Amino acid sequence: MTFEIQQNELVSVSGWGRLKALPGRLGTKIVEAARKIKKLGQDDPRRIIHSLKVGLAITLVSFIYYVESLYEGFGGSAMWAILTVIVVLEFSVGATLGRGLNRGLATFIAGALGFGAHYLASRSGDKVEPILLGLFVFLMAGVVTFIRFFPQMKARYDYGLLIFMLTFCLVSISGYRDEDLLDVAHRRVSTILIGSFTSVFVCICICPVWAGDDLHNLVASNIENLGSFLQGFGTEYFKISGEVGESKTAVMQRYKTVLNSKQSEESLANSARWEPGHGPFRFSHPWKQYLKIGSLTRQCAYRIDALNGYVNSEIQTPPEFRSKIQATCTKMSMESGKALMELASALKTMTPPSSARPHIAESESAAKGLKSLLQAGLCEEIDFLEVLPAATVASLLVDVVSSTEKIAESINELTTLARYASVEHIIVEEKEAAVSVHLQPIPPCSNTSGEHHVITIDQPSRHLP
Amino acid sequence: MTFEIQQNELVSVSGWGRLKALPGRLGTKIVEAARKIKKLGQDDPRRIIHSLKVGLAITLVSFIYYVESLYEGFGGSAMWAILTVIVVLEFSVGATLGRGLNRGLATFIAGALGFGAHYLASRSGDKVEPILLGLFVFLMAGVVTFIRFFPQMKARYDYGLLIFMLTFCLVSISGYRDEDLLDVAHRRVSTILIGSFTSVFVCICICPVWAGDDLHNLVASNIENLGSFLQGFGTEYFKISGEVGESKTAVMQRYKTVLNSKQSEESLANSARWEPGHGPFRFSHPWKQYLKIGSLTRQCAYRIDALNGYVNSEIQTPPEFRSKIQATCTKMSMESGKALMELASALKTMTPPSSARPHIAESESAAKGLKSLLQAGLCEEIDFLEVLPAATVASLLVDVVSSTEKIAESINELTTLARYASVEHIIVEEKEAAVSVHLQPIPPCSNTSGEHHVITIDQPSRHLP
């Protein structure tokens, strides 16, 4: 008995203590939540604008309910407009267009197929009809669910397949009960179209967020993050006095976000493909090339993660060895950091990365300098074990230099691909001005499939009658 | 004129060529698609079962339409049952339960709030009502959309927040037109419940797929992939004759899937948290610890990616240096590979990773052996530049060894946490058998928040009257 009382006392004491502390804890929690909300808005003010846009779009489509004449036309189907806005209106234009098109197309095709299934079933007699309908629905749901497992389908058409399945089932089964199926379908399709158009309109016309811009900036800022690590690495590793502050270390650690950036890059690239031309980007902008650059950037980031392990290593390199390699290693790291910074800014401005060339050349010559330094017989004076970490750092830096060059190449490719597209665009415009042209096959570009034709303008033909 | 004809000819020739080749190309495409479908099913037969389950669940809820007495009760609301099944029934039990609970709770709360909003607005006069409703909807949609940007909310409650917004808008706005709002709400909630229960029933009762099992296996197989790379690395790097085949290289390259596994691990962990106890896992299984193990595994994988860059490196290490380090490096790599294999199997069987200890000790002693070898003055005979790549490999292998130890520690922590939970479970069961107990605070475990109490059984109390 005593034990039970003891336990109860313990519980009640701790309960009372908690109860007394409740207002204080609640206060801190509210303050913390408010701080988080403020930070979320400050980090990206477009989030606040997007929230207001969603509110506005829903308010707009809800006019179907408020205006008598509109409601008479649509009736209960008005709800599909609200539902459509809520599921279609996404943060970026590309995602919204992708969802809208997926929804529109899927609704149309599945509606037609569902109507066909209903027609077939209804001709087969009262007893067979539900069996036949059940079979159709079972088969279609199973097949579409399986198709959703294909990675390529999942990336681009997952939402469309879901809506396809939904619409097919609703139309074919509803047909069993609704006599005026066509009328219902007509009203529903109209409200879905109203919802989709409102979403796309609000998304594009009020402070649009382009997934393409986001992808472009993400890839560039990832390269920048690697660059700022490398620019700080030399002073940090060799403990060059006074230069390393807290804030600098924080900047250097930003490279860690690059390690896991694959997923967000892929989803942005998927959205960007739906987007029309905007700003410096055309409809056919080579978004896939960004994924290639991103993957090379991550490869470089893995090496940098290995380097980062040596920054605060406790093993002391002998001073005589350190002083010999310090200059070349710092230069390699600094120059490849500068090169990455230049590459990021070239990517941002969509210019060929020629300004990065000198820095890459410098870092390569530093790597060569290091090699000849090592060949010149540093060895005799020192203990191999003690220099091993420093030697590894040097070797990883050589890897980083070659990684930087690969990134430079892929950015060069991107600018060529993008310029090719825009040059083609200009020429097509000229062609439309009634100039006769030749078609010449050229070898296919990397990352685009099928045959390509470059349109060359036949100058003399301008003078033909 | 001639130019235009030329162009048309070109087009028609290529068009005719394509038309002739069409049946052949169509044939290959169909064969290819069939091959892909077969592979997708063979890779994971649970996909086929899941597709059949979706078909079955939809067929089950469509009985509401086919059975006269059921349809009379629900009418048009029957469609919500089908809609719910399509969006709630996911591949794993955890994801399905998460979605079902999110949907159920969100519908209930938002429905009540929407009803309140409708009530308030309807009391304010005919002219003010639509304005007030519009304001409510605008505010709620904006706030909920903003909340969806919080990473923690997005991970677990994104779907619930979407449904919350949808239901609130539909209920409050529909109220403006529907006189019998309560009746509509009642029928809709019933059909949504029917849909949710059917989904959960089909998902759990027919070949259930547990997200927890998948996470458990994914983390274990990731460690295995690193292990098989390391087991193959020694022979591959030192080109030990004849042992390296094509298939072995393919096995070694599997480590690449580990580099980008973060997203799938996190989504599986999110789903697993909703799952009830199943197999060896209890409801309170420490799923978060898997994320910690996963992140350490990735850190090891980054080092391995750096190692992989040296496998086919062209720079030849001088034979005398190579022969000296070959034995220790191969041993380090092989033993840490074996240790990882043992760790993976310990994780799979949820036993403390004691069988990995000897291998870790071996790899550590090999690392020490390498160090003393290097200290013993290998240096005088060789060129530092030529041995640099091999030295880097050795150094990276030392990193891998310490990484392996960290993974072993975190797996040990997991087994302790999991056993702690199960021991607590057993004791709680005993407590329920009316044994009086004491509560003693123990220091909080890593990765679980709040205070912990271990329940110790007071043996003498059993003999109390």
Side-chain angles (χ1 to χ4, degrees), chain B residues 444-461:
Chain B
C445 302
S446 64
N447 269 309
T448 43
S449 57
E451 270 179 72
H452 292 255
H453 294 87
V454 73
I455 298 163
T456 55
I457 298 172
D458 202 301
Q459 283 297 338
S461 68

Side-chain angles (χ1 to χ4, degrees), chain B residues 100-223:
Chain B
L101 286 173
N102 262 309
R103 187 174 187 105
L105 266 178
T107 305
F108 187 76
I109 300 172
L113 278 177
F115 201 76
H118 158 68
Y119 183 80
L120 267 180
S122 64
R123 297 275 142 149
S124 59
D126 272 1
K127 287 214 170 152
V128 186
E129 189 179 353
I131 299 170
L132 212 58
L133 275 179
L135 193 73
F136 284 148
V137 165
F138 179 82
L139 281 178
M140 193 60 96
V143 168
V144 173
T145 305
F146 190 74
I147 292 175
R148 287 177 71 199
F149 282 114
F150 280 97
Q152 302 97 316
M153 299 303 276
K154 186 143 199 93
R156 294 198 77 181
Y157 306 110
D158 193 54
Y159 183 67
L161 289 167
L162 190 88
I163 295 295
F164 181 90
M165 188 155 67
L166 182 66
T167 311
F168 180 83
C169 294
L170 284 187
V171 170
S172 59
I173 301 176
S174 297
Y176 188 65
R177 292 290 173 181
D178 274 328
E179 296 307 312
D180 49 350
L181 188 62
L182 264 183
D183 190 42
V184 170
H186 173 246
R187 271 187 288 160
R188 212 166 275 179
V189 167
S190 318
T191 44
I192 287 177
L193 283 179
I194 292 175
S196 296
F197 278 119
T198 311
S199 304
V200 171
F201 178 80
V202 169
C203 189
I204 295 186
C205 296
I206 305 172
C207 309
V209 174
W210 301 98
D213 288 6
D214 277 7
L215 176 63
H216 186 81
N217 294 332
L218 176 67
V219 172
S221 82
N222 277 348
I223 296 175

Side-chain angles (χ1 to χ4, degrees), chain A residues 1 3-4 6-7 10-11 18 33 36-37 40-41 47-48 50-52 54-56 58-59 62 64-68 71 79-80 82-83 86-87 91 130 133-134 137-138 141-143 145-146 148-152 162 165-166 169-170 173-174 176-178 188 259-260 262-263 298-299 302-303 305-306 309-310 321 370-371 374-375 379 382-385 387-389 391-392 394-396 399 431 436-439 451 453 458 461 464, chain B residues 1 3-4 6-7 10-11 18 33 36-37 40-41 47-48 50-52 54-56 58-59 62 64-68 71 79-80 82-83 86-87 91 130 133-134 137-138 141-143 145-146 148-152 162 165-166 169-170 173-174 176-178 188 259-260 262-263 298-299 302-303 305-306 309-310 321 370-371 374-375 379 382-385 387-389 391-392 394-396 399 431 436-439 451 453 458 461 464:
Chain A
M1 270 306 229
F3 286 94
E4 273 167 24
Q6 212 177 354
Q7 188 197 344
L10 266 169
V11 169
R18 276 185 200 170
K36 269 188 193 168
I37 291 170
L40 201 70
R47 289 171 180 154
I48 301 172
H50 176 68
S51 305
L52 297 176
V54 172
L56 177 71
I58 295 176
T59 312
S62 61
I64 299 178
Y65 278 95
Y66 305 142
V67 179
E68 192 71 38
Y71 189 74
M79 126 191 142
W80 288 94
I82 294 175
L83 202 147
I86 289 178
V87 291
F91 190 56
L133 275 180
V137 165
F138 179 82
V143 168
T145 305
F146 190 74
R148 287 177 70 199
F149 282 114
F150 280 96
Q152 301 97 315
L162 190 88
M165 187 155 66
L166 183 66
C169 294
L170 284 187
I173 300 176
S174 297
Y176 187 65
R177 291 291 173 181
D178 275 327
R188 211 166 274 178
L259 297 170
N260 294 306
K262 194 185 178 198
Q263 199 91 13
R298 270 192 300 284
Q299 235 166 60
Y302 300 150
R303 301 293 174 279
D305 192 55
Y310 290 94
F321 182 72
L370 181 77
K371 281 175 191 168
L374 295 175
Q375 252 170 336
C379 251
I382 45 149
D383 178 0
F384 196 86
L385 179 64
V387 304
L388 191 56
T392 310
S395 180
L396 284 170
D399 280 5
K431 180 197 158 201
S436 72
V437 292
H438 286 298
L439 281 173
E451 270 180 70
H453 294 86
D458 203 301
S461 67
L464 278 176
Chain B
M1 271 307 229
F3 287 94
E4 273 167 26
Q6 210 177 355
Q7 187 195 344
L10 266 169
V11 169
R18 277 186 198 170
K36 270 188 191 170
I37 291 170
L40 200 71
R47 288 172 181 153
I48 299 171
H50 175 69
S51 305
L52 297 176
V54 173
L56 177 71
I58 294 176
T59 312
S62 60
I64 299 178
Y65 277 95
Y66 305 142
V67 179
E68 191 72 36
Y71 189 75
M79 123 190 144
W80 287 93
I82 294 176
L83 202 146
I86 289 179
V87 292
F91 189 57
L133 275 179
V137 165
F138 179 82
V143 168
T145 305
F146 190 74
R148 287 177 71 199
F149 282 114
F150 280 97
Q152 302 97 316
L162 190 88
M165 188 155 67
L166 182 66
C169 294
L170 284 187
I173 301 176
S174 297
Y176 188 65
R177 292 290 173 181
D178 274 328
R188 212 166 275 179
L259 297 170
N260 294 306
K262 193 184 180 200
Q263 199 91 14
R298 269 191 301 284
Q299 235 166 59
Y302 300 151
R303 301 292 175 280
D305 192 55
Y310 290 94
F321 182 73
L370 181 75
K371 280 175 191 168
L374 294 176
Q375 253 170 337
C379 247
I382 45 150
D383 178 0
F384 196 86
L385 178 64
V387 304
L388 191 57
T392 309
S395 180
L396 285 170
D399 281 3
K431 181 197 158 203
S436 69
V437 291
H438 286 298
L439 282 172
E451 270 179 72
H453 294 87
D458 202 301
S461 68
L464 279 176

